[in-house]
Amino acid sequence: MATKSASRAARHNSRLHGRSRAGNTVNFLFLALMGAFMLLPMIYAVSSAFKPLDELFVFPPRFFVRRPTLDNFSDLFLLMSTSWVPFTRYLFNTVILAAVATAGNVIICSMAAYMLEKRKFPGSRVLYKSVELALMFSGAVTAIPNYLIMARLHWIDTYLALMIPAFATPIGLFLMKQFMGSVHDSLIESAKLDGAGEWRIFWRIVMPIVRPAWQTLIIFSFQSTWNMTGGTFIFSEELKTLPSALSQVLQGGIARTGVSCAVALLIMIIPIAVFITSESRVLETMGTSGIKE
Amino acid sequence: MKQKTPVAKRPHRLRREIARNVDAYLFIAPFFLIFFVFTVLPVLTSILLSFTYYNILEFPSFVGLQNYFNLFLNDDVFLLSVKNTLLIAVITGPIGYLVSFLFAWFINELSPTLRAIMVVVFYAPSISGNVYMVWSILFSGDAYGYINAFLLNLGFIFEPIQWLTDPKYMLTVVILVMLWMSLGSGFLAFVAGLQTVDRAMYEAGYVEGVKNRWQELWYITLPTMRPQLLFGAVMSITASFSAGDVTSALCGFPSTDYAAHTMINHLNDYGNIRFEMGYACAIATLLFFMMIGCNQVIQKLLRKIGT
């Protein structure tokens, strides 16, 4: 193990040829500055969630909270505890939905991407082009045809209507296919000579190599499924998701300004947490991702 | 080696090709079944609906190219929205794309721990959804809006500027906020792509006389990153052409004199408020073809990298 980590360190250092110390410092300072700028609105959102009501409405507005309080959060839980369907049910719904949809999306898109990238067969080019084009159509006008299809399938008011379309996203296939190109064909050929089937090659060889790609896709996919409200497809209250329940809380109007700041923070914190965990996993495997041949 | 099998000319050869690739079809079947039912079918329906008058209640009636004639001949607001959309796309698209790549590359130069932190910091705004609303406080039109207060204190201006309601400034503010938000999916794909570049390539590069990080970027990193660059380009195009949420959140809907009205705003106006679905579909179809055209041009440009 020691030799492995040593070689990993060596590989990392050797990559930094031709780097001047001054350049590195300037680079870091620049990024730190820009990073602070990017974070400003986030900090504002966090700070607002802890503001008491009078500070939220104070004029002129303040950036930072003066007397932080958890009132907004306790108000939110009070509101949610009086709701007809318990809060935990909404949470459970969203977690299940996001987990299943994300897993399905990654696997189904990767399978299709692998074949489209590595094999030429009748129709493969046309199919791929259609996916690339689909990325550019505005989703706003497809709502009605989509509803009609769901109704025809009797999927209205079931999770199938939310999960199944989320399995096959054009962006997922496009992303995975672009990365699959970096897997050398010779690797696949030699695995075939060793008698490995396509599924084994896909699962044991290709997927580990394109790990950064599907880690990225997990983030995209989780981010979009976590924010799913159920829209026009879900009517039963006990099937509704966390975002739709929280948006109902906000219907209370201006009196719930404090609560809405708490909601905004809660809704964004989970995807960011998922993102951070997946990023730290990227770190772990960084050393092995250089292995190609 | 990739095998290039020419598309069979005679039917029985085609059948043999298909039979030989049965496993490939099985691999792609789950994706394309779902994709056709829930993406291709609705998109084709929408394009067909663009040739009809459809108010959602009654069955659509065919009107030929009437919707398109109306868009170009009778709808000044639409033409304005095309102008705004193009202006936003031309500025935020390329700049956002370059900025995404540069930041991903700068971040990649850092040590692994710092890199992970920076990636989170820079991508967080894209995850957080509606946080860009904070900008409406920064750009608030009275003397207490942060930016107005700052400029007033420094003496650059003598009375507060109505950033979000004065047609002179609205589009600029929208473009600034969209640039701030542009580190999105493309950025993340670049970060991941930079990690898959083969380390041995850099070694070989330095043996052959690459001297600094800039040469390394142009001769080694960029050519190997072409697939991710293409992905980022398509993402930039879709994001910049479908601007609409930001404009309505910041400048209101409709905005003063339609000065920040985009094609997506116009589409939502007709689709969700006036229930003229045929007309809305015509707008979506036009936007679709604008993006396709733009994509063609950019793919041609990207082929020239590193040559």
Side-chain angles (χ1 to χ4, degrees), chain B residues 33-79:
Chain B
L33 276 179
I34 302 172
F35 176 69
F36 275 110
V37 176
F38 299 107
T39 306
V40 175
L41 215 57
V43 166
L44 290 181
T45 318
S46 300
I47 294 178
L48 280 181
L49 282 177
S50 74
F51 300 106
T52 65
Y53 171 79
Y54 181 36
N55 59 12
I56 298 182
L57 296 172
E58 294 166 305
F59 193 80
S61 56
F62 183 76
V63 293
L65 288 171
Q66 195 59 48
N67 286 330
Y68 293 93
F69 286 138
N70 282 344
L71 276 175
F72 284 110
L73 301 176
N74 298 328
D75 193 344
D76 291 341
V77 178
F78 172 72
L79 295 180

Side-chain angles (χ1 to χ4, degrees), chain A residues 178-196:
Chain A
Q178 296 304 91
F179 275 83
M180 297 266 178
S182 71
V183 181
H184 287 251
D185 292 329
S186 55
L187 204 62
I188 295 170
E189 288 304 315
S190 63
K192 258 181 207 160
L193 287 179
D194 289 342

Side-chain angles (χ1 to χ4, degrees), chain A residues 111-185:
Chain A
M111 280 166 62
Y114 168 54
M115 280 301 165
L116 287 185
E117 176 65 31
K118 289 300 173 196
R119 286 264 281 271
K120 293 273 173 289
F121 49 88
S124 60
R125 263 189 66 82
V126 177
L127 288 174
Y128 173 61
K129 265 285 170 229
S130 70
V131 173
E132 206 187 306
L133 290 183
L135 274 169
M136 291 172 223
F137 201 81
S138 156
V141 289
T142 55
I144 290 176
N146 252 326
Y147 184 85
L148 295 177
I149 292 167
M150 292 297 174
R152 190 63 60 84
L153 290 167
H154 298 291
W155 283 5
I156 299 292
D157 211 21
T158 66
Y159 279 162
L160 290 176
L162 298 182
M163 275 179 188
I164 303 291
F167 282 167
T169 54
I171 182 177
L173 183 124
F174 189 39
L175 178 78
M176 291 310 297
K177 185 181 177 287
Q178 296 304 91
F179 275 83
M180 297 266 178
S182 71
V183 181
H184 287 251
D185 292 329

Side-chain angles (χ1 to χ4, degrees), chain A residues 9-26:
Chain A
R11 198 183 291 135
H12 185 254
N13 288 336
S14 65
R15 203 178 64 78
L16 299 175
H17 275 302
R19 300 297 193 273
S20 65
R21 207 184 187 87
N24 281 339
T25 317
V26 168

Side-chain angles (χ1 to χ4, degrees), chain A:
Chain A
M1 278 295 116
T3 50
K4 195 179 172 190
S5 64
S7 73
R8 191 181 296 174
R11 198 183 291 135
H12 185 254
N13 288 336
S14 65
R15 203 178 64 78
L16 299 175
H17 275 302
R19 300 297 193 273
S20 65
R21 207 184 187 87
N24 281 339
T25 317
V26 168
N27 179 29
F28 174 73
L29 286 179
F30 173 70
L31 283 177
L33 207 70
M34 290 307 286
F37 176 68
M38 296 300 282
L39 274 184
L40 272 184
M42 308 279 298
I43 294 168
Y44 182 82
V46 173
S47 144
S48 294
F50 293 100
K51 279 179 185 167
L53 208 54
D54 58 324
E55 272 193 52
L56 280 168
F57 284 104
V58 75
F59 191 84
R62 288 182 196 145
F63 200 85
F64 289 106
V65 54
R66 299 269 165 91
R67 289 171 290 114
T69 166
L70 286 173
D71 282 356
N72 295 333
F73 293 93
S74 58
D75 284 355
L76 174 65
F77 285 107
L78 198 66
L79 269 171
M80 296 305 286
S81 64
T82 56
S83 69
W84 180 41
V85 173
F87 177 73
T88 43
R89 178 66 204 255
Y90 294 119
L91 185 65
F92 174 80
N93 289 345
T94 296
V95 169
I96 290 290
L97 202 62
V100 175
T102 302
N105 188 12
V106 170
I107 293 170
I108 287 179
C109 289
S110 307
M111 280 166 62
Y114 168 54
M115 280 301 165
L116 287 185
E117 176 65 31
K118 289 300 173 196
R119 286 264 281 271
K120 293 273 173 289
F121 49 88
S124 60
R125 263 189 66 82
V126 177
L127 288 174
Y128 173 61
K129 265 285 170 229
S130 70
V131 173
E132 206 187 306
L133 290 183
L135 274 169
M136 291 172 223
F137 201 81
S138 156
V141 289
T142 55
I144 290 176
N146 252 326
Y147 184 85
L148 295 177
I149 292 167
M150 292 297 174
R152 190 63 60 84
L153 290 167
H154 298 291
W155 283 5
I156 299 292
D157 211 21
T158 66
Y159 279 162
L160 290 176
L162 298 182
M163 275 179 188
I164 303 291
F167 282 167
T169 54
I171 182 177
L173 183 124
F174 189 39
L175 178 78
M176 291 310 297
K177 185 181 177 287
Q178 296 304 91
F179 275 83
M180 297 266 178
S182 71
V183 181
H184 287 251
D185 292 329
S186 55
L187 204 62
I188 295 170
E189 288 304 315
S190 63
K192 258 181 207 160
L193 287 179
D194 289 342
E198 284 290 9
W199 176 259
R200 255 184 92 81
I201 296 174
F202 164 70
W203 197 244
R204 290 289 175 79
I205 296 171
V206 177
M207 284 304 267
I209 293 178
V210 294
R211 188 177 189 133
W214 50 260
Q215 278 175 330
T216 310
L217 182 55
I218 285 178
I219 295 158
F220 292 160
S221 185
F222 186 84
Q223 196 184 330
S224 69
T225 47
W226 179 259
N227 292 319
M228 272 201 286
T229 57
T232 48
F233 298 134
I234 302 291
F235 298 108
S236 309
E237 193 57 38
E238 69 271 17
L239 289 181
K240 284 196 174 152
T241 59
L242 191 62
S244 75
L246 292 175
S247 71
Q248 286 168 27
V249 168
L250 304 188
Q251 302 292 314
I254 202 149
R256 296 206 176 142
T257 308
V259 177
S260 81
C261 292
V263 165
L265 185 63
L266 281 185
I267 276 284
M268 87 190 186
I269 218 139
I270 305 283
I272 290 182
V274 169
F275 180 46
I276 291 174
T277 18
S278 107
E279 270 302 301
S280 51
R281 295 233 318 282
V282 169
L283 275 184
E284 244 169 60
T285 55
M286 203 94 72
T288 53
S289 65
I291 299 165
K292 290 283 166 57
E293 300 280 347

Side-chain angles (χ1 to χ4, degrees), chain B residues 93-121:
Chain B
I95 297 182
Y97 181 64
L98 283 179
V99 166
S100 293
F101 182 80
L102 280 179
F103 275 110
W105 184 57
F106 287 154
I107 285 173
N108 199 53
E109 300 276 295
L110 299 172
S111 69
T113 323
L114 268 177
R115 171 184 344 181
I117 295 170
M118 282 300 183
V119 171
V120 172
V121 166

